[in-house]
């Protein structure tokens, strides 16, 4: 699946949900599927700044694809769900694709309307960190070519 196909699937799933509680539950349930990240990656350097709770993001290249892993404090269910959605959409895609991805699903599902402004800032920080890593890797790939 491409980045856009994954986003479209999330949009389709959200379209089936009417109430805010259902949408929040969807995000939380998505986070429950996120595997725990090895403790060795839960470092200060991997901490996402601007999040309401502690969220760690580890980024690495696997071949020509960007791979992301994340974790959060257990009580941070919404943050865990948000980073899980982003990982599902962006992880294991080419660096150039991640760097240039238009994450239109956020607006289409109205995500910012049902997360607090602080969580919205954390979401922006997650996206920034993922895209920044991908942009750096894409630049390295172009230099090496």
């Amino acid at each position: 699946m491409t980045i856009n196909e994954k986003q479209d699937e999330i949009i389709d799933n959200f379209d089936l949900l009417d109430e805010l509680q259902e949408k929040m539950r969807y995000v939380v349930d998505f986070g429950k599927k996120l595997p725990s990240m090895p403790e060795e990656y839960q470092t200060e350097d991997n901490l996402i700044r601007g999040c309401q709770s502690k969220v760690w993001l580890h980024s690495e290249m696997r071949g020509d694809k960007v791979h992301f892993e994340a974790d959060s404090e257990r009580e941070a269910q919404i943050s865990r769900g948000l980073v899980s959605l982003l990982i599902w959409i962006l992880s294991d895609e080419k660096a150039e694709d991640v760097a240039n991805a238009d994450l239109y699903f956020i607006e289409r599902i109205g995500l910012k309307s049902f997360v607090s402004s602080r969580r919205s800032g954390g979401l922006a920080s997650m996206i920034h960190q993922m895209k920044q890593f991908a942009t750096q890797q894409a630049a390295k790939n172009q230099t090496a070519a």
Side-chain angles (χ1 to χ4, degrees), residues 59-68 94-96 99 130-144:
S59 310
E60 66 184 24
M61 291 301 293
R62 292 189 177 173
D64 67 340
K65 309 259 172 118
V66 178
H67 180 77
F68 298 108
K94 290 186 177 188
E96 295 82 11
M130 294 170 103
K131 284 185 155 246
Q132 183 177 34
F133 178 80
T135 299
Q136 291 168 347
Q137 295 306 311
K140 285 182 186 177
N141 292 345
Q142 286 183 344
T143 304

mmCIF file with all atom_site columns, all heavy atoms in Angstrom, residues 59-68 94-96 99 130-144:
data_model
loop_
_atom_site.group_PDB
_atom_site.id
_atom_site.type_symbol
_atom_site.label_atom_id
_atom_site.label_alt_id
_atom_site.label_comp_id
_atom_site.label_asym_id
_atom_site.label_entity_id
_atom_site.label_seq_id
_atom_site.pdbx_PDB_ins_code
_atom_site.Cartn_x
_atom_site.Cartn_y
_atom_site.Cartn_z
_atom_site.occupancy
_atom_site.B_iso_or_equiv
_atom_site.pdbx_formal_charge
_atom_site.auth_seq_id
_atom_site.auth_comp_id
_atom_site.auth_asym_id
_atom_site.auth_atom_id
_atom_site.pdbx_PDB_model_num
ATOM 1   N N   . SER A 1 59  ? 14.174 6.348  14.553 1.00 0.00 ? 59  SER A N   1
ATOM 2   C CA  . SER A 1 59  ? 14.157 6.337  13.096 1.00 0.00 ? 59  SER A CA  1
ATOM 3   C C   . SER A 1 59  ? 15.442 5.703  12.588 1.00 0.00 ? 59  SER A C   1
ATOM 4   O O   . SER A 1 59  ? 16.525 5.978  13.114 1.00 0.00 ? 59  SER A O   1
ATOM 5   C CB  . SER A 1 59  ? 14.079 7.770  12.549 1.00 0.00 ? 59  SER A CB  1
ATOM 6   O OG  . SER A 1 59  ? 13.052 8.487  13.171 1.00 0.00 ? 59  SER A OG  1
ATOM 7   N N   . GLU A 1 60  ? 15.303 4.873  11.565 1.00 0.00 ? 60  GLU A N   1
ATOM 8   C CA  . GLU A 1 60  ? 16.485 4.274  10.948 1.00 0.00 ? 60  GLU A CA  1
ATOM 9   C C   . GLU A 1 60  ? 16.155 3.887  9.509  1.00 0.00 ? 60  GLU A C   1
ATOM 10  O O   . GLU A 1 60  ? 14.977 3.799  9.138  1.00 0.00 ? 60  GLU A O   1
ATOM 11  C CB  . GLU A 1 60  ? 16.962 3.049  11.733 1.00 0.00 ? 60  GLU A CB  1
ATOM 12  C CG  . GLU A 1 60  ? 16.000 1.878  11.716 1.00 0.00 ? 60  GLU A CG  1
ATOM 13  C CD  . GLU A 1 60  ? 16.449 0.702  12.577 1.00 0.00 ? 60  GLU A CD  1
ATOM 14  O OE1 . GLU A 1 60  ? 17.223 0.908  13.523 1.00 0.00 ? 60  GLU A OE1 1
ATOM 15  O OE2 . GLU A 1 60  ? 16.011 -0.425 12.289 1.00 0.00 ? 60  GLU A OE2 1
ATOM 16  N N   . MET A 1 61  ? 17.200 3.680  8.741  1.00 0.00 ? 61  MET A N   1
ATOM 17  C CA  . MET A 1 61  ? 17.022 3.208  7.372  1.00 0.00 ? 61  MET A CA  1
ATOM 18  C C   . MET A 1 61  ? 17.145 1.692  7.364  1.00 0.00 ? 61  MET A C   1
ATOM 19  O O   . MET A 1 61  ? 18.009 1.138  8.034  1.00 0.00 ? 61  MET A O   1
ATOM 20  C CB  . MET A 1 61  ? 18.078 3.826  6.446  1.00 0.00 ? 61  MET A CB  1
ATOM 21  C CG  . MET A 1 61  ? 17.912 5.312  6.218  1.00 0.00 ? 61  MET A CG  1
ATOM 22  S SD  . MET A 1 61  ? 16.329 5.791  5.484  1.00 0.00 ? 61  MET A SD  1
ATOM 23  C CE  . MET A 1 61  ? 16.457 5.070  3.848  1.00 0.00 ? 61  MET A CE  1
ATOM 24  N N   . ARG A 1 62  ? 16.270 1.066  6.629  1.00 0.00 ? 62  ARG A N   1
ATOM 25  C CA  . ARG A 1 62  ? 16.344 -0.374 6.377  1.00 0.00 ? 62  ARG A CA  1
ATOM 26  C C   . ARG A 1 62  ? 16.324 -0.529 4.868  1.00 0.00 ? 62  ARG A C   1
ATOM 27  O O   . ARG A 1 62  ? 15.271 -0.440 4.246  1.00 0.00 ? 62  ARG A O   1
ATOM 28  C CB  . ARG A 1 62  ? 15.179 -1.117 7.026  1.00 0.00 ? 62  ARG A CB  1
ATOM 29  C CG  . ARG A 1 62  ? 15.260 -1.105 8.541  1.00 0.00 ? 62  ARG A CG  1
ATOM 30  C CD  . ARG A 1 62  ? 14.254 -2.014 9.165  1.00 0.00 ? 62  ARG A CD  1
ATOM 31  N NE  . ARG A 1 62  ? 14.419 -2.020 10.608 1.00 0.00 ? 62  ARG A NE  1
ATOM 32  C CZ  . ARG A 1 62  ? 13.584 -2.623 11.437 1.00 0.00 ? 62  ARG A CZ  1
ATOM 33  N NH1 . ARG A 1 62  ? 12.523 -3.258 10.965 1.00 0.00 ? 62  ARG A NH1 1
ATOM 34  N NH2 . ARG A 1 62  ? 13.804 -2.577 12.735 1.00 0.00 ? 62  ARG A NH2 1
ATOM 35  N N   . GLY A 1 63  ? 17.531 -0.700 4.341  1.00 0.00 ? 63  GLY A N   1
ATOM 36  C CA  . GLY A 1 63  ? 17.666 -0.690 2.889  1.00 0.00 ? 63  GLY A CA  1
ATOM 37  C C   . GLY A 1 63  ? 17.377 0.710  2.392  1.00 0.00 ? 63  GLY A C   1
ATOM 38  O O   . GLY A 1 63  ? 17.940 1.683  2.878  1.00 0.00 ? 63  GLY A O   1
ATOM 39  N N   . ASP A 1 64  ? 16.440 0.829  1.445  1.00 0.00 ? 64  ASP A N   1
ATOM 40  C CA  . ASP A 1 64  ? 16.106 2.164  0.922  1.00 0.00 ? 64  ASP A CA  1
ATOM 41  C C   . ASP A 1 64  ? 14.826 2.715  1.541  1.00 0.00 ? 64  ASP A C   1
ATOM 42  O O   . ASP A 1 64  ? 14.250 3.673  1.052  1.00 0.00 ? 64  ASP A O   1
ATOM 43  C CB  . ASP A 1 64  ? 15.991 2.118  -0.604 1.00 0.00 ? 64  ASP A CB  1
ATOM 44  C CG  . ASP A 1 64  ? 14.813 1.289  -1.093 1.00 0.00 ? 64  ASP A CG  1
ATOM 45  O OD1 . ASP A 1 64  ? 14.299 0.450  -0.320 1.00 0.00 ? 64  ASP A OD1 1
ATOM 46  O OD2 . ASP A 1 64  ? 14.405 1.480  -2.257 1.00 0.00 ? 64  ASP A OD2 1
ATOM 47  N N   . LYS A 1 65  ? 14.392 2.101  2.642  1.00 0.00 ? 65  LYS A N   1
ATOM 48  C CA  . LYS A 1 65  ? 13.142 2.520  3.288  1.00 0.00 ? 65  LYS A CA  1
ATOM 49  C C   . LYS A 1 65  ? 13.418 3.072  4.678  1.00 0.00 ? 65  LYS A C   1
ATOM 50  O O   . LYS A 1 65  ? 14.308 2.624  5.393  1.00 0.00 ? 65  LYS A O   1
ATOM 51  C CB  . LYS A 1 65  ? 12.186 1.332  3.415  1.00 0.00 ? 65  LYS A CB  1
ATOM 52  C CG  . LYS A 1 65  ? 11.964 0.567  2.113  1.00 0.00 ? 65  LYS A CG  1
ATOM 53  C CD  . LYS A 1 65  ? 10.681 0.928  1.476  1.00 0.00 ? 65  LYS A CD  1
ATOM 54  C CE  . LYS A 1 65  ? 10.560 0.323  0.107  1.00 0.00 ? 65  LYS A CE  1
ATOM 55  N NZ  . LYS A 1 65  ? 9.495  -0.576 -0.062 1.00 0.00 ? 65  LYS A NZ  1
ATOM 56  N N   . VAL A 1 66  ? 12.600 4.054  5.052  1.00 0.00 ? 66  VAL A N   1
ATOM 57  C CA  . VAL A 1 66  ? 12.656 4.635  6.391  1.00 0.00 ? 66  VAL A CA  1
ATOM 58  C C   . VAL A 1 66  ? 11.825 3.743  7.312  1.00 0.00 ? 66  VAL A C   1
ATOM 59  O O   . VAL A 1 66  ? 10.710 3.345  6.954  1.00 0.00 ? 66  VAL A O   1
ATOM 60  C CB  . VAL A 1 66  ? 12.060 6.060  6.389  1.00 0.00 ? 66  VAL A CB  1
ATOM 61  C CG1 . VAL A 1 66  ? 12.066 6.649  7.778  1.00 0.00 ? 66  VAL A CG1 1
ATOM 62  C CG2 . VAL A 1 66  ? 12.802 6.960  5.431  1.00 0.00 ? 66  VAL A CG2 1
ATOM 63  N N   . HIS A 1 67  ? 12.381 3.423  8.465  1.00 0.00 ? 67  HIS A N   1
ATOM 64  C CA  . HIS A 1 67  ? 11.642 2.611  9.436  1.00 0.00 ? 67  HIS A CA  1
ATOM 65  C C   . HIS A 1 67  ? 11.525 3.401  10.738 1.00 0.00 ? 67  HIS A C   1
ATOM 66  O O   . HIS A 1 67  ? 12.507 3.960  11.218 1.00 0.00 ? 67  HIS A O   1
ATOM 67  C CB  . HIS A 1 67  ? 12.350 1.278  9.689  1.00 0.00 ? 67  HIS A CB  1
ATOM 68  C CG  . HIS A 1 67  ? 11.627 0.423  10.671 1.00 0.00 ? 67  HIS A CG  1
ATOM 69  N ND1 . HIS A 1 67  ? 10.499 -0.280 10.345 1.00 0.00 ? 67  HIS A ND1 1
ATOM 70  C CD2 . HIS A 1 67  ? 11.853 0.193  11.982 1.00 0.00 ? 67  HIS A CD2 1
ATOM 71  C CE1 . HIS A 1 67  ? 10.061 -0.926 11.417 1.00 0.00 ? 67  HIS A CE1 1
ATOM 72  N NE2 . HIS A 1 67  ? 10.866 -0.654 12.420 1.00 0.00 ? 67  HIS A NE2 1
ATOM 73  N N   . PHE A 1 68  ? 10.309 3.454  11.256 1.00 0.00 ? 68  PHE A N   1
ATOM 74  C CA  . PHE A 1 68  ? 10.054 4.161  12.508 1.00 0.00 ? 68  PHE A CA  1
ATOM 75  C C   . PHE A 1 68  ? 9.527  3.188  13.551 1.00 0.00 ? 68  PHE A C   1
ATOM 76  O O   . PHE A 1 68  ? 8.749  2.293  13.242 1.00 0.00 ? 68  PHE A O   1
ATOM 77  C CB  . PHE A 1 68  ? 8.994  5.256  12.310 1.00 0.00 ? 68  PHE A CB  1
ATOM 78  C CG  . PHE A 1 68  ? 9.384  6.332  11.341 1.00 0.00 ? 68  PHE A CG  1
ATOM 79  C CD1 . PHE A 1 68  ? 8.787  6.412  10.098 1.00 0.00 ? 68  PHE A CD1 1
ATOM 80  C CD2 . PHE A 1 68  ? 10.343 7.278  11.678 1.00 0.00 ? 68  PHE A CD2 1
ATOM 81  C CE1 . PHE A 1 68  ? 9.124  7.412  9.208  1.00 0.00 ? 68  PHE A CE1 1
ATOM 82  C CE2 . PHE A 1 68  ? 10.700 8.286  10.786 1.00 0.00 ? 68  PHE A CE2 1
ATOM 83  C CZ  . PHE A 1 68  ? 10.090 8.349  9.554  1.00 0.00 ? 68  PHE A CZ  1
ATOM 84  N N   . LYS A 1 94  ? 9.846  4.749  1.137  1.00 0.00 ? 94  LYS A N   1
ATOM 85  C CA  . LYS A 1 94  ? 11.068 5.414  0.684  1.00 0.00 ? 94  LYS A CA  1
ATOM 86  C C   . LYS A 1 94  ? 11.178 6.793  1.327  1.00 0.00 ? 94  LYS A C   1
ATOM 87  O O   . LYS A 1 94  ? 10.173 7.483  1.507  1.00 0.00 ? 94  LYS A O   1
ATOM 88  C CB  . LYS A 1 94  ? 11.077 5.531  -0.835 1.00 0.00 ? 94  LYS A CB  1
ATOM 89  C CG  . LYS A 1 94  ? 11.248 4.194  -1.507 1.00 0.00 ? 94  LYS A CG  1
ATOM 90  C CD  . LYS A 1 94  ? 11.407 4.335  -2.995 1.00 0.00 ? 94  LYS A CD  1
ATOM 91  C CE  . LYS A 1 94  ? 11.646 2.944  -3.562 1.00 0.00 ? 94  LYS A CE  1
ATOM 92  N NZ  . LYS A 1 94  ? 11.988 2.976  -4.972 1.00 0.00 ? 94  LYS A NZ  1
ATOM 93  N N   . ALA A 1 95  ? 12.410 7.174  1.637  1.00 0.00 ? 95  ALA A N   1
ATOM 94  C CA  . ALA A 1 95  ? 12.659 8.447  2.319  1.00 0.00 ? 95  ALA A CA  1
ATOM 95  C C   . ALA A 1 95  ? 12.065 9.620  1.551  1.00 0.00 ? 95  ALA A C   1
ATOM 96  O O   . ALA A 1 95  ? 11.447 10.506 2.148  1.00 0.00 ? 95  ALA A O   1
ATOM 97  C CB  . ALA A 1 95  ? 14.168 8.645  2.529  1.00 0.00 ? 95  ALA A CB  1
ATOM 98  N N   . GLU A 1 96  ? 12.213 9.625  0.242  1.00 0.00 ? 96  GLU A N   1
ATOM 99  C CA  . GLU A 1 96  ? 11.683 10.719 -0.577 1.00 0.00 ? 96  GLU A CA  1
ATOM 100 C C   . GLU A 1 96  ? 10.163 10.800 -0.450 1.00 0.00 ? 96  GLU A C   1
ATOM 101 O O   . GLU A 1 96  ? 9.589  11.894 -0.405 1.00 0.00 ? 96  GLU A O   1
ATOM 102 C CB  . GLU A 1 96  ? 12.063 10.534 -2.055 1.00 0.00 ? 96  GLU A CB  1
ATOM 103 C CG  . GLU A 1 96  ? 13.556 10.612 -2.319 1.00 0.00 ? 96  GLU A CG  1
ATOM 104 C CD  . GLU A 1 96  ? 14.309 9.304  -2.025 1.00 0.00 ? 96  GLU A CD  1
ATOM 105 O OE1 . GLU A 1 96  ? 13.682 8.238  -1.808 1.00 0.00 ? 96  GLU A OE1 1
ATOM 106 O OE2 . GLU A 1 96  ? 15.551 9.357  -1.985 1.00 0.00 ? 96  GLU A OE2 1
ATOM 107 N N   . ALA A 1 99  ? 9.344  12.208 3.043  1.00 0.00 ? 99  ALA A N   1
ATOM 108 C CA  . ALA A 1 99  ? 9.692  13.630 3.098  1.00 0.00 ? 99  ALA A CA  1
ATOM 109 C C   . ALA A 1 99  ? 8.670  14.489 2.362  1.00 0.00 ? 99  ALA A C   1
ATOM 110 O O   . ALA A 1 99  ? 8.359  15.602 2.795  1.00 0.00 ? 99  ALA A O   1
ATOM 111 C CB  . ALA A 1 99  ? 11.086 13.848 2.511  1.00 0.00 ? 99  ALA A CB  1
ATOM 112 N N   . MET A 1 130 ? 9.595  13.002 11.975 1.00 0.00 ? 130 MET A N   1
ATOM 113 C CA  . MET A 1 130 ? 9.607  11.927 10.979 1.00 0.00 ? 130 MET A CA  1
ATOM 114 C C   . MET A 1 130 ? 10.031 12.472 9.613  1.00 0.00 ? 130 MET A C   1
ATOM 115 O O   . MET A 1 130 ? 10.877 11.881 8.933  1.00 0.00 ? 130 MET A O   1
ATOM 116 C CB  . MET A 1 130 ? 8.235  11.267 10.906 1.00 0.00 ? 130 MET A CB  1
ATOM 117 C CG  . MET A 1 130 ? 7.857  10.539 12.187 1.00 0.00 ? 130 MET A CG  1
ATOM 118 S SD  . MET A 1 130 ? 6.144  9.998  12.208 1.00 0.00 ? 130 MET A SD  1
ATOM 119 C CE  . MET A 1 130 ? 6.368  8.259  11.877 1.00 0.00 ? 130 MET A CE  1
ATOM 120 N N   . LYS A 1 131 ? 9.469  13.593 9.233  1.00 0.00 ? 131 LYS A N   1
ATOM 121 C CA  . LYS A 1 131 ? 9.781  14.168 7.924  1.00 0.00 ? 131 LYS A CA  1
ATOM 122 C C   . LYS A 1 131 ? 11.210 14.707 7.882  1.00 0.00 ? 131 LYS A C   1
ATOM 123 O O   . LYS A 1 131 ? 11.875 14.622 6.848  1.00 0.00 ? 131 LYS A O   1
ATOM 124 C CB  . LYS A 1 131 ? 8.779  15.263 7.575  1.00 0.00 ? 131 LYS A CB  1
ATOM 125 C CG  . LYS A 1 131 ? 7.439  14.698 7.144  1.00 0.00 ? 131 LYS A CG  1
ATOM 126 C CD  . LYS A 1 131 ? 6.530  15.819 6.687  1.00 0.00 ? 131 LYS A CD  1
ATOM 127 C CE  . LYS A 1 131 ? 5.512  15.261 5.739  1.00 0.00 ? 131 LYS A CE  1
ATOM 128 N NZ  . LYS A 1 131 ? 5.622  15.747 4.398  1.00 0.00 ? 131 LYS A NZ  1
ATOM 129 N N   . GLN A 1 132 ? 11.681 15.246 8.989  1.00 0.00 ? 132 GLN A N   1
ATOM 130 C CA  . GLN A 1 132 ? 13.054 15.754 9.044  1.00 0.00 ? 132 GLN A CA  1
ATOM 131 C C   . GLN A 1 132 ? 14.045 14.615 8.818  1.00 0.00 ? 132 GLN A C   1
ATOM 132 O O   . GLN A 1 132 ? 14.990 14.756 8.042  1.00 0.00 ? 132 GLN A O   1
ATOM 133 C CB  . GLN A 1 132 ? 13.308 16.437 10.384 1.00 0.00 ? 132 GLN A CB  1
ATOM 134 C CG  . GLN A 1 132 ? 14.683 17.061 10.488 1.00 0.00 ? 132 GLN A CG  1
ATOM 135 C CD  . GLN A 1 132 ? 14.869 17.786 11.816 1.00 0.00 ? 132 GLN A CD  1
ATOM 136 O OE1 . GLN A 1 132 ? 14.354 17.381 12.842 1.00 0.00 ? 132 GLN A OE1 1
ATOM 137 N NE2 . GLN A 1 132 ? 15.617 18.868 11.781 1.00 0.00 ? 132 GLN A NE2 1
ATOM 138 N N   . PHE A 1 133 ? 13.833 13.488 9.478  1.00 0.00 ? 133 PHE A N   1
ATOM 139 C CA  . PHE A 1 133 ? 14.715 12.333 9.289  1.00 0.00 ? 133 PHE A CA  1
ATOM 140 C C   . PHE A 1 133 ? 14.662 11.876 7.836  1.00 0.00 ? 133 PHE A C   1
ATOM 141 O O   . PHE A 1 133 ? 15.698 11.628 7.211  1.00 0.00 ? 133 PHE A O   1
ATOM 142 C CB  . PHE A 1 133 ? 14.322 11.182 10.227 1.00 0.00 ? 133 PHE A CB  1
ATOM 143 C CG  . PHE A 1 133 ? 15.172 9.961  10.042 1.00 0.00 ? 133 PHE A CG  1
ATOM 144 C CD1 . PHE A 1 133 ? 16.433 9.890  10.607 1.00 0.00 ? 133 PHE A CD1 1
ATOM 145 C CD2 . PHE A 1 133 ? 14.725 8.891  9.283  1.00 0.00 ? 133 PHE A CD2 1
ATOM 146 C CE1 . PHE A 1 133 ? 17.235 8.770  10.424 1.00 0.00 ? 133 PHE A CE1 1
ATOM 147 C CE2 . PHE A 1 133 ? 15.508 7.760  9.090  1.00 0.00 ? 133 PHE A CE2 1
ATOM 148 C CZ  . PHE A 1 133 ? 16.771 7.707  9.666  1.00 0.00 ? 133 PHE A CZ  1
ATOM 149 N N   . ALA A 1 134 ? 13.464 11.773 7.284  1.00 0.00 ? 134 ALA A N   1
ATOM 150 C CA  . ALA A 1 134 ? 13.302 11.319 5.906  1.00 0.00 ? 134 ALA A CA  1
ATOM 151 C C   . ALA A 1 134 ? 13.958 12.284 4.923  1.00 0.00 ? 134 ALA A C   1
ATOM 152 O O   . ALA A 1 134 ? 14.599 11.859 3.952  1.00 0.00 ? 134 ALA A O   1
ATOM 153 C CB  . ALA A 1 134 ? 11.818 11.149 5.579  1.00 0.00 ? 134 ALA A CB  1
ATOM 154 N N   . THR A 1 135 ? 13.829 13.575 5.170  1.00 0.00 ? 135 THR A N   1
ATOM 155 C CA  . THR A 1 135 ? 14.439 14.586 4.300  1.00 0.00 ? 135 THR A CA  1
ATOM 156 C C   . THR A 1 135 ? 15.960 14.462 4.318  1.00 0.00 ? 135 THR A C   1
ATOM 157 O O   . THR A 1 135 ? 16.607 14.528 3.273  1.00 0.00 ? 135 THR A O   1
ATOM 158 C CB  . THR A 1 135 ? 14.012 16.004 4.743  1.00 0.00 ? 135 THR A CB  1
ATOM 159 O OG1 . THR A 1 135 ? 12.579 16.085 4.636  1.00 0.00 ? 135 THR A OG1 1
ATOM 160 C CG2 . THR A 1 135 ? 14.655 17.082 3.901  1.00 0.00 ? 135 THR A CG2 1
ATOM 161 N N   . GLN A 1 136 ? 16.530 14.261 5.502  1.00 0.00 ? 136 GLN A N   1
ATOM 162 C CA  . GLN A 1 136 ? 17.982 14.084 5.615  1.00 0.00 ? 136 GLN A CA  1
ATOM 163 C C   . GLN A 1 136 ? 18.431 12.844 4.860  1.00 0.00 ? 136 GLN A C   1
ATOM 164 O O   . GLN A 1 136 ? 19.449 12.869 4.168  1.00 0.00 ? 136 GLN A O   1
ATOM 165 C CB  . GLN A 1 136 ? 18.391 13.992 7.086  1.00 0.00 ? 136 GLN A CB  1
ATOM 166 C CG  . GLN A 1 136 ? 18.241 15.287 7.840  1.00 0.00 ? 136 GLN A CG  1
ATOM 167 C CD  . GLN A 1 136 ? 18.371 15.111 9.348  1.00 0.00 ? 136 GLN A CD  1
ATOM 168 O OE1 . GLN A 1 136 ? 18.342 14.013 9.878  1.00 0.00 ? 136 GLN A OE1 1
ATOM 169 N NE2 . GLN A 1 136 ? 18.488 16.238 10.053 1.00 0.00 ? 136 GLN A NE2 1
ATOM 170 N N   . GLN A 1 137 ? 17.677 11.769 4.985  1.00 0.00 ? 137 GLN A N   1
ATOM 171 C CA  . GLN A 1 137 ? 18.042 10.534 4.295  1.00 0.00 ? 137 GLN A CA  1
ATOM 172 C C   . GLN A 1 137 ? 17.889 10.675 2.784  1.00 0.00 ? 137 GLN A C   1
ATOM 173 O O   . GLN A 1 137 ? 18.700 10.168 2.021  1.00 0.00 ? 137 GLN A O   1
ATOM 174 C CB  . GLN A 1 137 ? 17.199 9.368  4.813  1.00 0.00 ? 137 GLN A CB  1
ATOM 175 C CG  . GLN A 1 137 ? 17.443 9.028  6.269  1.00 0.00 ? 137 GLN A CG  1
ATOM 176 C CD  . GLN A 1 137 ? 18.908 8.775  6.574  1.00 0.00 ? 137 GLN A CD  1
ATOM 177 O OE1 . GLN A 1 137 ? 19.588 8.017  5.872  1.00 0.00 ? 137 GLN A OE1 1
ATOM 178 N NE2 . GLN A 1 137 ? 19.421 9.401  7.616  1.00 0.00 ? 137 GLN A NE2 1
ATOM 179 N N   . ALA A 1 138 ? 16.850 11.361 2.342  1.00 0.00 ? 138 ALA A N   1
ATOM 180 C CA  . ALA A 1 138 ? 16.640 11.577 0.916  1.00 0.00 ? 138 ALA A CA  1
ATOM 181 C C   . ALA A 1 138 ? 17.790 12.389 0.328  1.00 0.00 ? 138 ALA A C   1
ATOM 182 O O   . ALA A 1 138 ? 18.268 12.104 -0.769 1.00 0.00 ? 138 ALA A O   1
ATOM 183 C CB  . ALA A 1 138 ? 15.298 12.282 0.677  1.00 0.00 ? 138 ALA A CB  1
ATOM 184 N N   . ALA A 1 139 ? 18.252 13.392 1.085  1.00 0.00 ? 139 ALA A N   1
ATOM 185 C CA  . ALA A 1 139 ? 19.383 14.203 0.628  1.00 0.00 ? 139 ALA A CA  1
ATOM 186 C C   . ALA A 1 139 ? 20.651 13.351 0.518  1.00 0.00 ? 139 ALA A C   1
ATOM 187 O O   . ALA A 1 139 ? 21.417 13.487 -0.435 1.00 0.00 ? 139 ALA A O   1
ATOM 188 C CB  . ALA A 1 139 ? 19.605 15.381 1.575  1.00 0.00 ? 139 ALA A CB  1
ATOM 189 N N   . LYS A 1 140 ? 20.859 12.472 1.490  1.00 0.00 ? 140 LYS A N   1
ATOM 190 C CA  . LYS A 1 140 ? 22.023 11.563 1.431  1.00 0.00 ? 140 LYS A CA  1
ATOM 191 C C   . LYS A 1 140 ? 21.914 10.657 0.224  1.00 0.00 ? 140 LYS A C   1
ATOM 192 O O   . LYS A 1 140 ? 22.926 10.380 -0.439 1.00 0.00 ? 140 LYS A O   1
ATOM 193 C CB  . LYS A 1 140 ? 22.090 10.710 2.710  1.00 0.00 ? 140 LYS A CB  1
ATOM 194 C CG  . LYS A 1 140 ? 22.583 11.436 3.920  1.00 0.00 ? 140 LYS A CG  1
ATOM 195 C CD  . LYS A 1 140 ? 22.652 10.498 5.107  1.00 0.00 ? 140 LYS A CD  1
ATOM 196 C CE  . LYS A 1 140 ? 22.999 11.231 6.371  1.00 0.00 ? 140 LYS A CE  1
ATOM 197 N NZ  . LYS A 1 140 ? 23.004 10.338 7.544  1.00 0.00 ? 140 LYS A NZ  1
ATOM 198 N N   . ASN A 1 141 ? 20.715 10.168 -0.062 1.00 0.00 ? 141 ASN A N   1
ATOM 199 C CA  . ASN A 1 141 ? 20.519 9.282  -1.207 1.00 0.00 ? 141 ASN A CA  1
ATOM 200 C C   . ASN A 1 141 ? 20.846 9.998  -2.519 1.00 0.00 ? 141 ASN A C   1
ATOM 201 O O   . ASN A 1 141 ? 21.436 9.407  -3.416 1.00 0.00 ? 141 ASN A O   1
ATOM 202 C CB  . ASN A 1 141 ? 19.078 8.754  -1.249 1.00 0.00 ? 141 ASN A CB  1
ATOM 203 C CG  . ASN A 1 141 ? 18.762 7.810  -0.106 1.00 0.00 ? 141 ASN A CG  1
ATOM 204 O OD1 . ASN A 1 141 ? 19.675 7.328  0.578  1.00 0.00 ? 141 ASN A OD1 1
ATOM 205 N ND2 . ASN A 1 141 ? 17.491 7.556  0.111  1.00 0.00 ? 141 ASN A ND2 1
ATOM 206 N N   . GLN A 1 142 ? 20.453 11.282 -2.617 1.00 0.00 ? 142 GLN A N   1
ATOM 207 C CA  . GLN A 1 142 ? 20.739 12.041 -3.835 1.00 0.00 ? 142 GLN A CA  1
ATOM 208 C C   . GLN A 1 142 ? 22.229 12.318 -3.983 1.00 0.00 ? 142 GLN A C   1
ATOM 209 O O   . GLN A 1 142 ? 22.761 12.295 -5.075 1.00 0.00 ? 142 GLN A O   1
ATOM 210 C CB  . GLN A 1 142 ? 19.953 13.347 -3.835 1.00 0.00 ? 142 GLN A CB  1
ATOM 211 C CG  . GLN A 1 142 ? 18.485 13.146 -4.125 1.00 0.00 ? 142 GLN A CG  1
ATOM 212 C CD  . GLN A 1 142 ? 17.726 14.460 -4.202 1.00 0.00 ? 142 GLN A CD  1
ATOM 213 O OE1 . GLN A 1 142 ? 18.196 15.502 -3.773 1.00 0.00 ? 142 GLN A OE1 1
ATOM 214 N NE2 . GLN A 1 142 ? 16.520 14.397 -4.743 1.00 0.00 ? 142 GLN A NE2 1
ATOM 215 N N   . THR A 1 143 ? 22.893 12.569 -2.868 1.00 0.00 ? 143 THR A N   1
ATOM 216 C CA  . THR A 1 143 ? 24.337 12.836 -2.884 1.00 0.00 ? 143 THR A CA  1
ATOM 217 C C   . THR A 1 143 ? 25.102 11.591 -3.308 1.00 0.00 ? 143 THR A C   1
ATOM 218 O O   . THR A 1 143 ? 26.066 11.671 -4.059 1.00 0.00 ? 143 THR A O   1
ATOM 219 C CB  . THR A 1 143 ? 24.827 13.306 -1.498 1.00 0.00 ? 143 THR A CB  1
ATOM 220 O OG1 . THR A 1 143 ? 24.058 14.466 -1.123 1.00 0.00 ? 143 THR A OG1 1
ATOM 221 C CG2 . THR A 1 143 ? 26.292 13.655 -1.504 1.00 0.00 ? 143 THR A CG2 1
ATOM 222 N N   . ALA A 1 144 ? 24.629 10.437 -2.831 1.00 0.00 ? 144 ALA A N   1
ATOM 223 C CA  . ALA A 1 144 ? 25.310 9.180  -3.129 1.00 0.00 ? 144 ALA A CA  1
ATOM 224 C C   . ALA A 1 144 ? 25.077 8.738  -4.578 1.00 0.00 ? 144 ALA A C   1
ATOM 225 O O   . ALA A 1 144 ? 25.869 7.972  -5.113 1.00 0.00 ? 144 ALA A O   1
ATOM 226 C CB  . ALA A 1 144 ? 24.828 8.088  -2.171 1.00 0.00 ? 144 ALA A CB  1
#
